[in-house]
């Protein structure tokens, strides 16, 4: 049965997703320009940087400077990503909006490739994060399961493994006496299809019917927007997306890793379906054009080139 939401919340990932994998050095000022432009579109959360080792992710070498130069707009959260405790501590020393999360990878191989930690080591580190969040009054929102639909190193990830990881996240939260807003399922390497979205979400709903879900979908194999539609059909109302389709995971294990679903394409689809986003699509298209000017090449987004269909 269809269960389309009336409204969705979109977290913009373009600045982090896009610039972390860029082959060319992007000037700090242009990154800031892009972030500030996105903040005018109605997007309420922008993931700006990743606090990672610049030797491994050179595109984030100026993460500190980016956060320090943004002129913040009221009502917009400017967040960053950390993959270990060192990154969290670095974020805490900078003017970013700290929103606590806990993260586990369903694939053991990808976990080691992405964070240099096994799943067991990651679970132990999440316990430390929760203690830090609580001691510093950092709000805790989502749990994340990465590679929830497949892995380039291990292939398909069994639904039972995804369920186990969700159980671990909920257990971590319960032991820390915190309540998660919900669970994000991340198709980190773009393995998902609408069928796998339906199967995984269906299994979760059967086990935890009241658990709120979000999705982080990559368009690596061209199924991103179809997967987003299927998630919408199943009632999912929180989505990560990347303006102009910028980005990709630098540890995904394949050349030309694609970014999240394109924000403006997804917003267009939602609006045409009568689903509210709170986002100004025309302003978002201008941001997509700006993104292409910054990186100096055509990006995957469609609406910025085809135009927005309007009634005559």
């Amino acid at each position: 049965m269809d269960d389309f939401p009336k409204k969705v919340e979109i977290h913009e990932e373009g600045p982090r997703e896009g610039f972390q994998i860029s082959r060319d050095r992007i000037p700090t000022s242009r990154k800031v320009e892009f972030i500030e432009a996105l903040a005018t579109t109605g997007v309420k959360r922008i993931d700006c940087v990743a606090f990672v080792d610049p030797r491994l992710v050179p595109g984030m070498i100026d993460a500190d400077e980016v956060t320090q130069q943004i002129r913040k707009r009221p009502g917009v959260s400017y967040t960053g990503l950390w993959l270990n405790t060192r990154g969290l501590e670095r974020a805490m020393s900078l003017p970013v909006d700290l929103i606590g999360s806990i993260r586990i990878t369903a694939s053991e191989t990808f976990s080691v490739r992405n964070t240099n930690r096994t799943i067991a080591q990651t679970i132990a580190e999440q316990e430390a994060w929760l203690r830090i969040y609580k001691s510093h009054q950092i709000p805790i929102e989502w749990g994340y399961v990465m590679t929830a639909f497949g892995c380039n190193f291990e292939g398909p990830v069994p639904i039972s493994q995804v369920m186990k990881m969700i159980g671990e996240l909920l257990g971590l939260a319960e032991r820390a006496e915190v309540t998660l807003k919900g669970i994000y399922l991340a198709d980190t390497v773009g393995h998902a299809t609408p069928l796998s979205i339906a199967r995984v979400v269906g299994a979760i709903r059967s086990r935890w019917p009241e658990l709120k879900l979000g999705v982080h979908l990559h368009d690596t194999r061209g199924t991103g927007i179809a997967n987003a539609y299927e998630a919408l059909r199943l009632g999912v109302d929180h989505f990560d997306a990347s303006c102009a389709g910028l980005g990709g995971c630098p540890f995904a294990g394949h050349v030309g890793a694609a970014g999240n679903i394109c924000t403006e394409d997804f917003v267009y689809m939602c609006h045409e379906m009568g689903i509210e986003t709170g986002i100004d699509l025309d302003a978002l298209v201008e941001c997509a054009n700006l993104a292409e000017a910054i990186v100096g090449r055509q990006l995957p987004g469609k609406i910025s080139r085809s135009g927005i269909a309007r009634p005559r």
Side-chain angles (χ1 to χ4, degrees):
M1 184 175 68
D2 294 347
D3 188 26
F4 290 104
K6 291 181 170 58
K7 184 176 182 178
V8 295
E9 182 173 324
I10 298 172
H11 298 168
E12 174 57 47
E13 300 273 316
R16 177 188 64 79
E17 277 273 351
F19 299 141
Q20 74 178 3
I21 202 170
S22 176
R23 295 182 295 272
D24 302 315
R25 177 73 183 272
I26 306 296
T28 302
S29 61
R30 301 233 68 188
K31 294 180 181 180
V32 172
E33 178 187 2
F34 182 50
I35 292 166
E36 292 180 349
L38 286 167
T40 70
T41 66
V43 169
K44 298 302 182 185
R45 183 178 299 182
I46 304 170
D47 210 29
C48 301
V49 297
F51 298 106
V52 292
D53 188 338
R55 293 172 297 180
L56 299 176
V57 189
M60 289 291 113
I61 194 169
D62 59 348
D64 293 16
E65 291 78 9
V66 169
T67 65
Q68 291 163 342
Q69 292 180 27
I70 297 168
R71 294 170 296 181
K72 292 187 175 181
R73 188 181 184 91
V76 178
S77 296
Y78 300 82
T79 61
L81 173 72
W82 49 86
L83 298 177
N84 53 40
T85 303
R86 180 180 298 177
L88 169 56
E89 291 171 344
R90 184 174 156 203
M92 290 168 62
S93 71
L94 292 162
V96 292
D97 295 308
L98 294 168
I99 299 174
S101 63
I102 49 178
R103 300 170 181 267
I104 300 178
T105 302
S107 159
E108 186 78 66
T109 305
F110 188 84
S111 183
V112 173
R113 291 280 192 122
N114 193 40
T115 65
N116 200 31
R117 285 166 176 75
T118 64
I119 292 173
Q121 290 170 329
T122 300
I123 291 170
E125 186 163 42
Q126 302 313 289
E127 292 175 338
W129 288 12
L130 286 165
R131 288 192 295 270
I132 293 171
Y133 296 153
K134 292 184 72 175
S135 64
H136 289 83
Q137 290 79 53
I138 297 171
I140 304 165
E141 290 197 354
W142 294 89
Y144 287 76
V145 179
M146 274 78 78
T147 61
F149 301 95
C151 170
N152 284 340
F153 307 107
E154 296 184 7
V157 172
I159 294 176
S160 59
Q161 175 68 359
V162 178
M163 302 286 278
K164 180 180 178 182
M165 294 301 100
I166 293 173
E168 292 284 1
L169 290 168
L170 296 176
L172 282 164
E174 183 178 3
R175 291 192 295 275
E177 299 182 328
V178 300
T179 300
L180 294 176
K181 187 173 182 178
I183 298 293
Y184 253 86
L185 304 170
D187 186 25
T188 318
V189 297
H191 250 267
T193 66
L195 180 59
S196 61
I197 296 285
R199 286 174 172 170
V200 173
V201 171
I204 295 167
R205 290 271 167 76
S206 294
R207 175 78 177 276
W208 297 285
E210 302 303 318
L211 183 62
K212 183 174 283 294
L213 297 176
V215 288
H216 175 102
L217 302 170
H218 280 241
D219 197 34
T220 310
R221 294 170 174 85
T223 58
I225 204 73
N227 294 337
Y229 177 88
E230 181 64 11
L232 284 170
R233 190 185 69 80
L234 296 168
V236 175
D237 60 1
H238 281 70
F239 292 79
D240 287 349
S242 180
C243 182
L246 274 165
C249 177
F251 306 110
H254 53 75
V255 177
N260 289 138
I261 55 171
C262 173
T263 313
E264 63 271 18
D265 293 356
F266 180 61
V267 168
Y268 172 79
M269 182 174 75
C270 286
H271 289 182
E272 291 297 303
M273 294 171 61
I275 299 171
E276 297 178 24
T277 67
I279 295 173
D280 181 335
L281 183 54
D282 289 302
L284 196 57
V285 167
E286 291 181 10
C287 289
N289 293 333
L290 174 61
E292 289 196 341
I294 289 171
V295 300
R297 66 180 187 279
Q298 183 173 297
L299 292 168
K302 307 294 190 299
I303 293 299
S304 61
R305 291 193 296 282
S306 66
I308 302 167
R310 302 189 190 281
R312 295 186 178 182

